[in-house]
Amino acid sequence: TEAVATRFWAANALFAKTKKANRELPPAAAAELGAHLLAVLKTDLAPEIAERIAVTVATLALQAEDADDGASQSLENCARAALEVCEAGRARSGLGLLRSLADELDAVDCAPRRRYDLEARARGVARRAALPALSRALAAARDGDQALLLLNCAKSWLGRAEATLVDLVTGADFELGRFLERCVSADCGSDELRWQLAGVAAVTFAEACRRGREGEDDADGPALASCERFCARCRSLVDRSAELTRSGTLDGEAAASECAKHVASVAAALSSSIHGAQLCLSFGVWELALAATAHPRRSVGVVALDAWLDLQDVPVDQRHASLGAPTYRRVLDALVAQCAASRN
């Protein structure tokens, strides 16, 4: 409607002016504007207007955090305010604000030293406030659309927390494996939505695998066991996606194949992570890689090829005993089938 278009224009103009006025707006005026916009977020807004207002509030909070070196704790206070908006029944607006705080941090114009300090404070907010709250909300989520919003928000904050493989499979605050199991159950919405959820969970896991910190301790037995279970869940998704493709079922097949592509990236990420050599001692990751390589959609299979290339860098005596000639014959069969002009 015309009213929605006008409000969107106003919200977008306010965001542009706020971004341009970095360090020019008096702190008191910026705080007053932020408080007013927070109150607006708790009202009934069109999604596109709520998104613009959320980004504006996040920008104001990040500018204030940078300006006073965190003395006012603007970043953490804004994160907690976003969670209050969610509790007030405006989950989309609140999660939009929370995610914007993580996503807009890179856009803050500041010197390298100040950026380092700002990112360090964001890490603390991620681990103290954002991720524990998102994990609790995910555990209680019964609506698939809300679960997707929560998971995408968590994905942004996991990046800010620099969460690694060990963090994800052993941390009490955020355990993706349990949520992935729920994604394929019957209570998370439509089939297509469940595939989307599982795909985002897989991408989040893969990104964490690639964020190994220098000097981080090796993953212990329980961590590797959790990782093995996650790989088993991922493989079941790839197998189900392949069945849909082979059957010619159009309903949900595209979403399933896109999910399988993201899941294949888990195998590639695990094989190249700092824990790759340890994971070669288990077989789950390679069963996952093999299932993805043999997927009837080549766009899925090609993602898993990096896992086999990484394996060549691992000494033979450090590989799982099953990674011998029989397994490589299965890989070769899958590759030959992928190279054939037709499935016949």
Side-chain angles (χ1 to χ4, degrees):
T1 65
E2 185 176 345
V4 171
T6 301
R7 294 181 78 187
F8 177 75
W9 173 84
N12 204 42
L14 184 60
F15 167 64
K17 290 181 179 295
T18 299
K19 204 169 185 67
K20 189 176 180 181
N22 185 23
R23 301 181 186 280
E24 295 178 9
L25 198 62
E32 183 179 354
L33 176 59
H36 176 70
L37 292 177
L38 267 174
V40 173
L41 274 180
K42 294 180 181 179
T43 63
D44 188 18
L45 297 170
E48 61 271 25
I49 297 172
E51 185 270 335
R52 288 287 86 187
I53 293 177
V55 176
T56 304
V57 175
T59 300
L60 287 167
L62 289 167
Q63 288 175 352
E65 182 80 15
D66 173 52
D68 62 11
D69 287 326
S72 62
Q73 295 187 315
S74 300
L75 180 57
E76 182 157 359
N77 290 338
C78 191
R80 297 191 184 281
L83 295 172
E84 290 174 5
V85 173
C86 294
E87 292 169 0
R90 303 295 177 188
R92 182 176 291 274
S93 297
L95 291 173
L97 173 55
L98 192 59
R99 185 178 180 184
S100 295
L101 279 171
D103 291 345
E104 291 297 311
L105 194 142
D106 290 333
V108 177
D109 183 18
C110 59
R113 182 192 64 79
R114 297 177 71 90
R115 175 167 298 284
Y116 178 84
D117 294 340
L118 184 60
E119 289 175 348
R121 292 195 293 274
R123 259 194 313 277
V125 171
R127 293 177 178 270
R128 282 193 309 273
L131 289 177
L134 289 168
S135 184
R136 290 192 297 271
L138 273 171
R142 288 293 176 266
D143 176 74
D145 291 317
Q146 184 176 349
L148 187 59
L149 290 172
L150 285 163
L151 191 55
N152 275 308
C153 185
K155 181 171 175 289
S156 295
W157 278 102
L158 282 165
R160 289 299 168 200
E162 296 184 1
T164 64
L165 167 65
V166 174
D167 293 326
L168 281 196
V169 298
T170 62
D173 289 338
F174 208 90
E175 211 279 86
L176 263 182
R178 295 190 193 117
F179 182 72
L180 183 62
E181 192 169 333
R182 287 191 57 234
C183 287
V184 295
S185 66
D187 64 348
C188 254
S190 66
D191 285 344
E192 185 168 348
L193 185 57
R194 288 203 300 277
W195 285 115
Q196 289 181 41
L197 284 164
V200 175
V203 169
T204 305
F205 192 86
E207 289 181 359
C209 292
R210 297 187 178 100
R211 276 196 295 264
R213 290 189 288 266
E214 185 176 351
E216 184 178 41
D217 292 336
D218 287 344
D220 57 12
L224 291 177
S226 296
C227 193
E228 186 90 351
R229 288 193 296 272
F230 192 89
C231 286
R233 291 166 183 144
C234 286
R235 187 189 169 189
S236 70
L237 289 170
V238 172
D239 290 341
R240 287 178 58 189
S241 168
E243 288 171 11
L244 277 176
T245 302
R246 292 191 184 100
S247 68
T249 304
L250 296 179
D251 187 25
E253 193 277 334
S257 295
E258 189 65 21
C259 172
K261 192 188 304 182
H262 295 320
V263 167
S265 70
V266 170
L270 283 171
S271 67
S272 62
S273 75
I274 58 172
H275 307 293
Q278 288 174 285
L279 290 162
C280 291
L281 298 175
S282 66
F283 197 49
V285 64
W286 304 109
E287 286 286 0
L288 170 59
L290 185 56
T293 303
H295 193 283
R297 277 191 179 266
R298 292 187 180 93
S299 59
V300 176
V302 73
V303 176
L305 290 181
D306 284 344
W308 302 110
L309 295 175
D310 288 328
L311 183 59
Q312 302 309 305
D313 297 330
V314 180
V316 174
D317 62 347
Q318 292 184 22
R319 302 181 192 179
H320 191 278
S322 299
L323 287 171
T327 298
Y328 278 101
R329 276 196 291 270
R330 292 168 64 195
V331 176
L332 182 60
D333 288 343
L335 293 174
V336 170
Q338 292 286 27
C339 294
S342 74
R343 291 294 163 189
N344 299 323

